[in-house]
Amino acid sequence: MPIRNAIADDVDEIHRLISELAVYERLAHEAVATASQIRRHGFGRRRYFETLICRRGRDPIGFALYFFTYSTFLGRPTLYLEDLFVLPEERGRGAGRALLGELARIATRRGCGRMEWAVLDWNTPSIRFYQKLGAKLRRQWILTRLTGAPLSRLARGSRLRHGGPP
C-alpha cells in the first residue's frame, strides 16, 4: 500500500478527503476549511501539520493529518493524529492499518512517547479497529474546546503580566 508524505500539489486532494471525512462524521456543517488555508498551514513558511497520503494506483484513497504536542508527564513529544480517513469503498483492505503503521514509525523515529487521537463515540467500526491494534480508549478524559465567540471573548480579556499582547 503506497504511502507518502503529502506535498503542496496534493492540497486539493487533501481538501476533498477532509470534506468526505466531514460528511462521514456527520459534521459537514463544521467543515469550513479552504484549500488555501490547508496550503498555507500545511505547506507554507510555518507548518502546523503534516499529512500522509495513501493511494491505490494514481487515486488517493486515504490520508492521515497529524502534528506534535508534548507530554509533560512523559517528558517526550506526542504524535497527535487529527484526522485519519479511508474512503468507504476502500475500508478493510489495509489502508487504515498502513497509515497508522507509518504514523507509528514516524512517532518512534522522532522519540515520541505516545500517539493520541479522538474517535467519535458512535463510530463503533473505528473503535473496534483501534482496540484490535491495542489502543486504549481514555473515557475519563473529556475533549474540551473553545471556538468562535467564546474564544474571542477569552482572548480579549487576557493580557500577559507585562501588559503586552500574548
Side-chain angles (χ1 to χ4, degrees):
M1 188 83 35
I3 294 175
R4 66 168 173 76
N5 291 317
I7 59 173
D9 288 346
D10 296 320
V11 165
D12 289 334
E13 291 174 345
I14 294 167
H15 185 254
R16 181 180 59 78
L17 289 167
I18 289 170
S19 296
E20 291 192 40
L21 169 63
V23 169
Y24 174 75
E25 291 185 338
R26 306 173 195 157
L27 295 169
H29 60 284
E30 292 185 21
V32 297
T34 65
S36 175
Q37 290 169 315
I38 293 165
R39 181 178 312 283
R40 182 173 56 252
H41 296 140
F43 303 95
R45 291 178 64 193
R46 175 147 190 225
R47 295 181 176 190
Y48 290 95
F49 64 85
E50 299 177 47
T51 309
L52 298 175
I53 298 278
C54 182
R55 295 183 178 276
R56 185 170 307 285
R58 292 180 172 214
D59 299 323
I61 62 167
F63 81 107
L65 189 146
Y66 64 99
F67 54 89
F68 295 89
T69 64
Y70 190 78
S71 168
T72 55
F73 287 8
L74 295 178
R76 295 170 67 186
T78 295
L79 186 150
Y80 187 83
L81 173 59
E82 176 68 19
D83 288 326
L84 174 71
F85 180 71
V86 175
L87 294 173
E89 62 272 17
E90 292 289 340
R91 293 187 188 142
R93 298 175 67 187
R97 185 174 180 83
L99 284 162
L100 284 168
E102 184 58 28
L103 290 167
R105 281 188 283 284
I106 291 166
T108 301
R109 198 168 52 241
R110 295 198 192 178
C112 293
R114 61 184 176 209
M115 276 178 36
E116 289 186 328
W117 62 95
V119 60
L120 290 166
D121 62 357
W122 58 261
N123 193 346
T124 306
S126 293
I127 290 170
R128 285 190 195 126
F129 172 65
Y130 298 144
Q131 288 175 322
K132 281 183 188 176
L133 295 175
K136 304 292 184 230
L137 275 64
R138 303 288 306 262
R139 295 189 192 275
Q140 68 273 29
W141 291 88
I142 298 172
L143 180 65
T144 307
R145 178 177 291 164
L146 272 176
T147 188
L151 176 63
S152 295
R153 272 193 308 276
L154 183 60
R156 282 192 305 270
S158 177
R159 295 287 182 262
L160 295 177
R161 287 200 171 174
H162 61 72

